[in-house]
Amino acid sequence: MNAEYRFGIEEEYFLNDAAKRDAARARTQDFFNACRQQFPTQIQREMLEPQVEIASKPFTDFASAREQLATLRGALGGIAREYGLSIMASGTHPLAVWSRVRANTQPRYGKVMHDLQMIGSRTVVCGMHVHVEVPDREARVDLMNRMQPYLPLFLALSTSSPFWQAQRTGLLGYRLAAYRELPRTGLPDLFADAADYQRYIDTLVAARAIEDSSYVWWMIRPSLKLPTLELRAADSCTRLDDAIAIAALYRCLVRHLVGDTKLHAGRTGASRAITEENCWRAQRYGIHGSFVDEATKTAKPVGQFLAEVLDMVEEDARTLDCTRELDLCRWIIARGTSADQQLTLYTEGLGRGLNVRDALAGVVDWLSAETVGDTGVRH
């Protein structure tokens, strides 16, 4: 049964100048050359020069997933140190100023940046993507519709982007606000079926608006190259435990929705608009806020909503042998997200008399250490 819901995880990291704590502007090519020698298929470049993405292989168990992610994080951190750099998993960079961040000059990204212009340059953000295998193409579009009510929860649990342009934003998850400047982002529309979705894609491709469906950057989408439904709502998770927890929750929810085809079926414009509101509440308040519940017309604390979801997928977690990993979601609620810790460190730094930049530099130091520090792996 586990093999029916194989999964993979992609994580995006910032590449920093270790001394300046800012987004790297030098030695990045040397870093990527070294990475390609050691990991020829699992390391990829992103739209901007100081970004790196890792892509796991498909898994059927979370112990293997955790081991591989820990190895990749640790190895990349070690390679980065050799070039005076560091890697950092967070949704936004506390100190980076977008106008000073260089674009990736590879052909694909050059074409994207030409189309997006300044909006592309402003996309100094990193996310985490989780793929879960759903072989039935028709089912993937149906699941994309019915998974939408849970997307705000994934965002709230992953918040790691309280800063932007060296400023405190007042949000715990600012990444999505910056990312939504791009076209074809945010929540997907509600498609009648797979054919309806394909009409949308085929029309845009025929009109040369996009090259293929990989240029559709929603919070959740059917993968172009893989038989998977790809979750894209989450910030890049600083703590490895958080990444594993969110992947486990998503995998369990996919299985549960496959088994209960009536759950969230027949969603309407009002349903989608309520989910949109909850996405905003997740951005603003993270795990400390509440979500509007359509059925009861009340606002439920995020912790209560999570508890109800965990109860609902309890059997799925047992079947997929990830009860322990799913329990890590409760730990996020108990001790806070990366955004919470970043704000605590920033406030403490200001309280010690540091100026804003030095306080944010301390946040960057924690992010860099925490990204690789719990792995025990060194290059």
Side-chain angles (χ1 to χ4, degrees), residues 1-5 60-62 251-252 255-256 312-324 326:
M1 182 65 72
N2 291 10
E4 293 181 13
Y5 297 93
T60 59
D61 69 279
F62 280 96
R251 189 185 184 208
C252 289
R255 182 182 186 274
H256 192 85
M312 182 180 74
V313 300
E314 183 177 0
E315 187 273 330
D316 303 280
R318 285 197 298 269
T319 301
L320 297 173
D321 193 24
C322 61
T323 299
R324 178 186 174 278
L326 203 64

Side-chain angles (χ1 to χ4, degrees), residues 83-309:
Y83 297 99
L85 306 171
S86 68
I87 65 166
M88 184 181 81
S90 63
T92 56
H93 195 296
L95 281 170
V97 175
W98 68 263
S99 60
R100 298 202 295 263
V101 175
R102 295 172 177 166
N104 187 341
T105 57
Q106 290 181 332
R108 170 186 166 93
Y109 292 111
K111 292 169 66 176
V112 171
M113 293 298 288
H114 177 74
D115 183 40
L116 296 176
Q117 294 293 305
M118 188 176 75
I119 290 175
S121 300
R122 285 173 55 83
T123 313
V124 189
V125 299
C126 287
M128 180 185 77
H129 308 155
V130 184
H131 290 261
V132 172
E133 190 170 35
V134 181
D136 187 336
R137 178 173 168 271
E138 185 82 28
R140 290 199 290 274
V141 174
D142 175 62
L143 286 171
M144 180 172 67
N145 289 340
R146 296 192 294 122
M147 186 66 75
Q148 288 190 28
Y150 305 107
L151 297 182
L153 180 60
F154 294 117
L155 179 58
L157 292 172
S158 68
T159 49
S160 64
S161 50
F163 300 106
W164 178 252
Q165 304 278 299
Q167 298 181 61
R168 180 174 178 171
T169 65
L171 281 65
L172 294 182
Y174 187 79
R175 165 187 154 267
L176 191 59
Y179 197 65
R180 281 186 172 179
E181 292 187 353
L182 273 64
R184 302 177 297 279
T185 55
L187 285 178
D189 286 305
L190 298 173
F191 292 94
D193 49 31
D196 189 33
Y197 166 75
Q198 197 60 48
R199 275 194 299 275
Y200 165 74
I201 297 297
D202 290 346
T203 300
L204 266 60
V205 170
R208 298 185 178 179
I210 60 174
E211 290 191 12
D212 54 50
S213 63
S214 70
Y215 290 78
V216 174
W217 300 305
W218 296 323
M219 296 171 72
I220 188 170
R221 69 180 182 185
S223 174
L224 171 64
K225 297 180 180 179
L226 302 170
T228 63
L229 186 64
E230 179 188 6
L231 175 70
R232 300 169 54 83
D235 279 4
S236 183
C237 292
T238 310
R239 300 180 177 102
L240 182 54
D241 276 350
D242 294 4
I244 293 296
I246 288 166
L249 179 60
Y250 180 56
R251 189 185 184 208
C252 289
L253 276 167
V254 169
R255 182 182 186 274
H256 192 85
L257 289 170
V258 168
D260 185 353
T261 58
K262 294 183 179 179
L263 183 59
H264 298 304
R267 283 172 51 75
T268 66
S271 301
R272 185 183 181 282
I274 290 168
T275 300
E276 190 80 68
E277 175 67 22
N278 287 336
C279 286
W280 157 248
R281 296 166 77 88
Q283 287 177 254
R284 173 64 180 86
Y285 301 107
I287 60 173
H288 308 288
S290 60
F291 293 147
V292 177
D293 184 89
E294 184 177 6
T296 63
K297 295 183 174 60
T298 60
K300 288 183 179 179
V302 172
Q304 179 184 342
F305 182 71
L306 172 65
E308 292 173 359
V309 172

